[in-house]
Amino acid sequence: MALTADQIIAAQKANLETLFGLTTKAFEGVEKIVELNVTASKAALTEAASTAQAALEVKDVQELLALQASLYQPLAEKTAAYSRHLYDIAQNTGAEFGKAFESKATEAQQAIVGLIDSASKNAPAGSETAVAVLKSAVAAANNAFESVQKAVKQASDVAEANFNAVSTSAVNAAKTTAQTASRKR
């Protein structure tokens, strides 16, 4: 089965639309990161001003230590929240690319199966074995692709679980440090 000019043009058009769609998604991800960084910078600046003001009002070393201890936990929580938000943006943007890739891969698989079916109908007598081998190879490739997709999903789930565990540990460590510093006063 030969591809017609209309089919080639339609495929190119679809690929171009996918490319522009993915480019748009990538820019949306960058915009979200920029927005997150601007918001975090504004908050950090405001907090730095408040902390500087509080430090200027300290009258002795004990008050300074108490102020320092009171900053540990909120800083760790804000850092964890920032990291989580950044991770979510990257995860969502990556998921959009993954969906597009899966869609295109499925379309390609269907096109290959269609070509094989069409070719097998027009194949000369005695080529049944070659057609069967080709179909078997396509099925094996599809199975391998699905296995890779499952492995990537599992790895992504493990990475997310590890990220959450590290974030929780960091916040808990900051709480412990702040409590220990408070008791030493």
Side-chain angles (χ1 to χ4, degrees):
M1 175 180 167
L3 293 176
T4 66
D6 288 341
Q7 289 172 321
I8 293 171
I9 291 170
Q12 291 298 329
K13 182 179 176 186
N15 289 338
L16 193 59
E17 288 172 1
T18 300
L19 175 65
F20 284 126
L22 291 176
T23 302
T24 300
K25 291 294 180 190
F27 277 113
E28 287 173 4
V30 170
E31 286 174 346
K32 289 176 183 176
I33 291 171
V34 168
E35 181 182 334
L36 174 64
N37 286 336
V38 168
T39 301
S41 296
K42 285 179 181 179
L45 186 58
T46 301
E47 289 170 23
S50 297
T51 302
Q53 186 62 38
L56 291 173
E57 295 173 4
V58 167
K59 297 189 177 36
D60 60 26
V61 174
Q62 292 299 326
E63 283 184 34
L64 183 60
L65 291 175
L67 175 64
Q68 184 180 12
S70 71
L71 298 176
Y72 286 135
Q73 183 179 346
L75 179 60
E77 289 172 352
K78 288 173 185 156
T79 301
Y82 173 83
S83 297
R84 181 68 179 144
H85 201 148
L86 191 60
Y87 178 82
D88 287 344
I89 291 169
Q91 186 85 354
N92 291 337
T93 302
E96 291 293 330
F97 277 80
K99 286 178 195 172
F101 174 74
E102 287 176 24
S103 173
K104 287 297 179 185
T106 301
E107 287 175 20
Q109 289 169 351
Q110 290 170 349
I112 290 171
V113 169
L115 285 172
I116 292 171
D117 287 343
S118 176
S120 67
K121 290 175 187 172
N122 299 322
S127 63
E128 294 83 14
T129 304
V131 171
V133 168
L134 190 55
K135 284 183 177 181
S136 177
V138 169
N142 288 343
N143 289 338
F145 178 71
E146 288 174 9
S147 295
V148 168
Q149 282 181 311
K150 288 177 186 175
V152 167
K153 173 72 171 121
Q154 288 173 343
S156 177
D157 291 346
V158 168
E160 185 170 3
N162 288 341
F163 179 83
N164 290 334
V166 168
S167 294
T168 301
S169 295
V171 170
N172 290 339
K175 286 179 185 176
T176 303
T177 302
Q179 291 170 353
T180 303
S182 296
R183 282 188 230 132
K184 289 184 179 180
R185 289 188 279 143

